[in-house]
Amino acid sequence: MSVLNAERIKLLSTRSPWWCALLAVALPVGLTALIASQAQIDPGDNGGSVQVTQMLASLGRAVVMVMAALSVTSEYRFGTIRSTFQAVPHRTTALLAKTVVTAIPAMLIGAVVGFGSWAVFRAINSFPALALDSAEDWRAVAGQIVVYGITAVLALGVGILIRQTAGAVAVLLVYALLVEGLVGLIPKIGDDIQHWLPFFAADRFLGVQAGPPIDDLPLGPWGYLAYFAAVAAVVLTAGILSAQRRDA
Amino acid sequence: MIEATGLTKHYGRTVAVDNLSFTVSEGKVTGFLGPNGAGKSTTMRMILGLDRPTSGDVRIDGQHYRDLHQPLRTVGALLDAKWVHPNRSARAHLRWLAAASKLPRSRVDEVLDLVGLGGVADKNAGGFSLGMSQRLGIAAALLGDPKVLLFDEPVNGLDPEGILWIRKFMHRLAAEGRTVFVSSHLLSEMAQTAQDLVVIGRGKLIHQGTVDEFIAHATESTVLVRSPELEKLGEHLLGAGAGISDDGDALRVSGMDSAAIGELAAAKQITLHELSPQVGSLEQAFIQLTGDSVEYRTAEAAQRAGQEERA
Amino acid sequence: MTTLLATERIKLFTTRSPWWSAFLALGLTIGFAALVGLNHSGGPLLVEHSQFGTQFGLMVVSVMAALAITTEYRFATIRATFQAVPKRTSVLVAKTAVVAILAAVIGEVAAFGSWLTAYAIDGGPEMAITTGADWRMVAGVGLVFAVTAVIAVAVGTLVRQSAGAISILLIWPLLVENLVVLIPGVGANIHDWMPFTVASRFLNGAEPIAPMGPWASLAYFTGVAAVLLVAALAVANKRDA
């Protein structure tokens, strides 16, 4: 418990997590408000859907990824990782504590982004279709909590492996925002590979982004969530194993 | 010559340097003395045009640093030995600095040998010890063979051997007729290195003059005398114009040196048990002068100061 | 200026990052072209198919260009730089030029390398670079890389911090420019004026509805870069180093 507390103090006593959190919430919620204010869906055709309110959540997710990676790479940058391992020589414990302390704020941010975007959209443009009245609706909104949390764990794992801010941030963003999309352009095999990529999986769980119908895919929404979590767990484990082996 | 007039720097609400005026004359080592956080580094950064003064002005030979053509040929500086890219070799670091000032590549090897880094020139600077980094910094400062040299706390963290090396180096540079401006928070260090002193505390000028002046100004030397005939001796000393004060079973004499006191005692046939000159320590003098100006002090010191104020 | 260019060239090439970046940019871009070439089916392979991966290279170069300035701030060598050359505008312009030239070279090698690779794997007469549009699509890559490098140096100078600069430089073109379309009504119009969207129209040809032709698109993209660079120079001159 003291390890968790130490990590919490470490995270919240520097400015960058606050900045990231602010941006991660303000960007998607703000832009969603903009979209809502411009939306002119004919109320008669019961237009709009809960999913529309979540289109910008990926923006906050990218920022959370940066925040999670920074939480460990900045420790390597300033050499404080040595103090960390000095205080808690059991590195697995130290890093798991850091994972928990990074994932919880990420989930909070996910909750604020998910429900915040939905509430803001609804406050500006109250279509009946925006009610949270189905399992899909709840998955799209409340699902952000889990997806943000797992994303943070994945990013943290990459941060531990790469140890270097610029490298980790570049790899994470290029991968999530570019590679997964470009893979689809590879003829023949592209689609099959894409169906097993982690952020594609996260998006299938949320059901927000346009994509192939879920029935044509190898997993269902919950299967995809489990798969996304498993990938994050594997990356984190790889990170922890390498941290144990390497000199701090 | 470096001339600062009314130099002031604010960082938000913090006043780092406050209306500071001083001159650093040519061909001498001038010490820039002040406790940590007094504004020495900020002043040096302003001399080099890195930080913009909030108000006031500082010039080198009448020119602003920013207006110097190829300034490394006029001013060399070592402000922080860690201002190097860790993955760049020592030679490459000097090579780009040389290129910026159109200095020949051979000059790089010259200065590397001068500071004794010739053997590790192709190693990455990130792997250097503090002493080696400091040498690399000095090599960079000397690259353009400048008339004016600035060093910020050059001996900080060095081992005795490194300190000695730097000290000798400063003397050599001054002997070559260069203007050397070197900062330190250690008066004893300055006493051995500098001829002139600029002393600051909390960004304000406290004293400018020679080191001897500063020490004389800041310390009053006394002589401690112990004798079985203390009372009689005291009368004679007063008669001879010295000042005396009781110090337990001894007398503290001021205004007369130990030789004169000894002769006086011999003439009056007074037995002496002790005759010891008390030179006020330099550090004490420094603390006396800058004591009120220390930005960060220990709780104990602050408490003591508080008690003194109340008393 | 030649002195400063030489200085910045030494500075850039005496660290590992440009080598890594060049290696990665070329490897990813050309490797992707090979993947596309190998798996292609249904109709002949076209010039545009070989260029699908250039965005990889572009992002890597963007990161490299930003790091060229943010690492100077990170290791405080920017102070040594401004000490050696107090004319900050000249220094930063020289740095931008050197980085942009390297970016252009990487871009050209990546584009022609990708084209050659795809051609070697499954080339036909359809893959010949003949029309102006073909040339723009391949040879134009270097120009877009160079202008992107200018934007990256400018953003790096403004932000001074690797993580922040890289995040902006990646999230902006890869996410923000596309998300803008979601704004009903005006979104599409805003999208039409987003710098990287416009740059891609220079390479891939503008749809008829686009506000500008290909060369005007490049000019606009360059204009955005110039504005950012001027802003960065103004800020760097005003700030304490």
Side-chain angles (χ1 to χ4, degrees), chain B residues 9 11 45 48-52 65-68 70-72 76-77 82-89 92-93 95-97 99-102, chain C residues 2-4 6-8 10-12 14-16 71-72 75-88 236-241:
Chain B
K9 180 71 186 178
Y11 292 109
R45 279 205 301 271
L48 294 172
L50 292 174
D51 286 14
R52 240 172 234 277
Y65 190 89
R66 283 192 188 213
D67 298 328
L68 293 173
Q70 295 177 352
L72 294 192
K82 286 290 169 195
W83 289 355
V84 291
H85 194 297
N87 293 330
R88 195 178 278 137
S89 72
H93 178 66
R95 213 150 63 73
W96 74 258
L97 284 170
S101 310
K102 279 206 173 162
Chain C
T2 48
T3 320
L4 290 181
T7 309
E8 291 301 326
I10 295 172
K11 233 192 273 178
L12 187 62
T14 48
T15 61
R16 281 172 308 179
T71 52
E72 285 233 36
F75 299 119
T77 51
I78 192 75
R79 298 195 180 131
T81 301
F82 289 155
Q83 209 177 304
V85 189
K87 306 258 182 298
R88 299 187 180 180
N237 271 304
K238 226 175 144 198
R239 250 178 345 207
D240 292 336

Side-chain angles (χ1 to χ4, degrees), chain A residues 45-237:
Chain A
D45 74 354
N46 198 13
S49 68
V50 170
Q51 281 72 19
V52 168
T53 67
Q54 301 297 313
M55 296 298 268
L56 289 146
S58 55
L59 199 54
R61 203 165 69 189
V63 178
V64 161
M65 220 159 12
V66 174
M67 178 190 84
L70 276 178
S71 77
V72 61
T73 57
S74 60
E75 285 228 28
Y76 280 102
R77 149 116 155 74
F78 296 111
T80 51
I81 192 79
R82 298 188 193 115
S83 321
T84 302
F85 288 157
Q86 225 171 298
V88 188
H90 197 260
R91 297 189 183 180
T92 308
T93 312
L95 291 171
L96 283 178
K98 187 178 275 303
T99 309
V100 171
V101 169
T102 312
I104 289 175
M107 290 167 82
L108 278 174
I109 294 170
V112 177
V113 170
F115 285 100
S117 300
W118 172 75
V120 158
F121 201 107
R122 226 181 151 203
I124 297 172
N125 246 322
S126 184
F127 304 126
L130 293 182
L132 292 175
D133 50 11
S134 71
E136 285 87 45
D137 290 350
W138 279 99
R139 227 168 49 222
V141 177
Q144 302 292 359
I145 301 172
V146 217
V147 168
Y148 272 50
I150 297 173
T151 302
V153 173
L154 181 68
L156 190 82
V158 173
I160 300 172
L161 282 168
I162 298 183
R163 291 193 287 184
Q164 217 234 12
T165 303
V169 170
V171 165
L172 282 165
L173 292 178
V174 169
Y175 176 79
L177 306 180
L178 185 61
V179 175
E180 288 211 354
L182 276 185
V183 163
L185 289 180
I186 303 174
K188 286 193 289 197
I189 55 168
D191 283 349
D192 293 332
I193 301 174
Q194 201 175 40
H195 294 167
W196 292 100
L197 296 178
F199 291 101
F200 177 88
D203 284 334
R204 296 291 78 71
F205 164 70
L206 293 168
V208 170
Q209 307 289 337
I214 197 84
D215 295 335
D216 299 348
L217 294 173
L219 297 173
W222 291 98
Y224 264 127
L225 179 69
Y227 176 73
F228 182 49
V231 172
V234 168
V235 173
L236 181 68
T237 310

Side-chain angles (χ1 to χ4, degrees), chain B:
Chain B
M1 195 168 79
I2 304 171
E3 258 179 308
T5 41
L7 210 53
T8 303
K9 180 71 186 178
H10 295 228
Y11 292 109
R13 251 179 287 159
T14 322
V15 182
V17 174
D18 191 359
N19 196 18
L20 187 61
S21 302
F22 61 85
T23 30
V24 177
S25 32
E26 274 161 50
K28 279 190 195 170
V29 178
T30 301
F32 191 24
L33 190 63
N36 289 329
K40 301 188 296 291
S41 303
T42 307
T43 305
M44 290 206 156
R45 279 205 301 271
M46 287 192 284
I47 296 174
L48 294 172
L50 292 174
D51 286 14
R52 240 172 234 277
T54 309
S55 64
D57 195 35
V58 58
R59 289 165 190 262
I60 298 153
D61 291 336
Q63 276 192 295
H64 287 131
Y65 190 89
R66 283 192 188 213
D67 298 328
L68 293 173
H69 181 61
Q70 295 177 352
L72 294 192
R73 291 170 182 262
T74 312
V75 186
L78 167 58
L79 260 52
D80 187 329
K82 286 290 169 195
W83 289 355
V84 291
H85 194 297
N87 293 330
R88 195 178 278 137
S89 72
R91 177 174 281 126
H93 178 66
L94 295 174
R95 213 150 63 73
W96 74 258
L97 284 170
S101 310
K102 279 206 173 162
L103 294 161
R105 272 181 85 155
S106 58
R107 180 65 188 156
V108 169
D109 293 313
E110 271 172 44
V111 291
L112 278 168
D113 288 335
L114 195 63
V115 299
L117 286 178
V120 291
D122 292 313
K123 294 238 159 47
N124 282 351
F128 280 10
S129 68
L130 184 61
M132 287 159 85
S133 301
Q134 213 83 357
R135 281 164 191 255
L136 177 58
I138 289 176
L142 294 176
L143 200 59
D145 196 20
K147 301 194 300 287
V148 181
L149 284 149
L150 265 61
F151 298 102
D152 192 12
E153 301 269 3
V155 301
N156 236 8
L158 290 188
D159 56 11
E161 197 192 347
I163 292 175
L164 196 65
W165 184 82
I166 298 246
R167 214 181 272 157
K168 281 186 182 161
F169 216 95
M170 302 273 164
H171 284 302
R172 203 172 115 194
L173 294 170
E176 289 167 359
R178 296 177 214 264
T179 307
V180 181
F181 190 44
V182 52
S183 80
S184 175
H185 63 282
L186 300 172
L187 179 59
S188 53
E189 182 55 39
M190 289 292 91
Q192 294 183 64
T193 324
Q195 288 127 337
D196 281 2
L197 275 184
V198 174
V199 187
I200 66 168
R202 289 214 178 187
K204 287 197 174 91
L205 184 71
I206 290 177
H207 176 86
Q208 164 152 33
T210 66
V211 174
D212 295 340
E213 268 170 34
F214 176 70
I215 293 168
H217 172 71
T219 65
E220 193 190 6
S221 48
T222 57
V223 183
L224 198 70
V225 195
R226 225 181 283 270
S227 164
E229 300 157 273
L230 213 53
E231 212 167 311
K232 195 173 152 198
L233 177 66
E235 280 167 26
H236 286 298
L237 284 170
L238 280 173
I244 57 168
S245 61
D246 267 342
D247 195 355
D249 59 343
L251 274 183
R252 191 172 287 275
V253 186
S254 57
M256 191 182 263
D257 66 6
S258 54
I261 298 170
E263 275 164 26
L264 183 79
K268 304 293 175 193
Q269 294 190 322
I270 296 169
T271 314
L272 291 184
H273 285 172
E274 187 186 342
L275 181 64
S276 50
Q278 308 281 301
V279 180
S281 93
L282 297 179
E283 302 304 340
Q284 217 160 13
F286 179 40
I287 290 167
Q288 249 172 38
L289 273 181
T290 61
D292 298 334
S293 317
V294 178
E295 177 93 3
Y296 312 103
R297 53 177 153 188
T298 58
E300 194 197 351
Q303 204 180 13
R304 220 185 304 129
Q307 279 164 359
E308 276 164 22
E309 268 162 39
R310 255 173 271 132

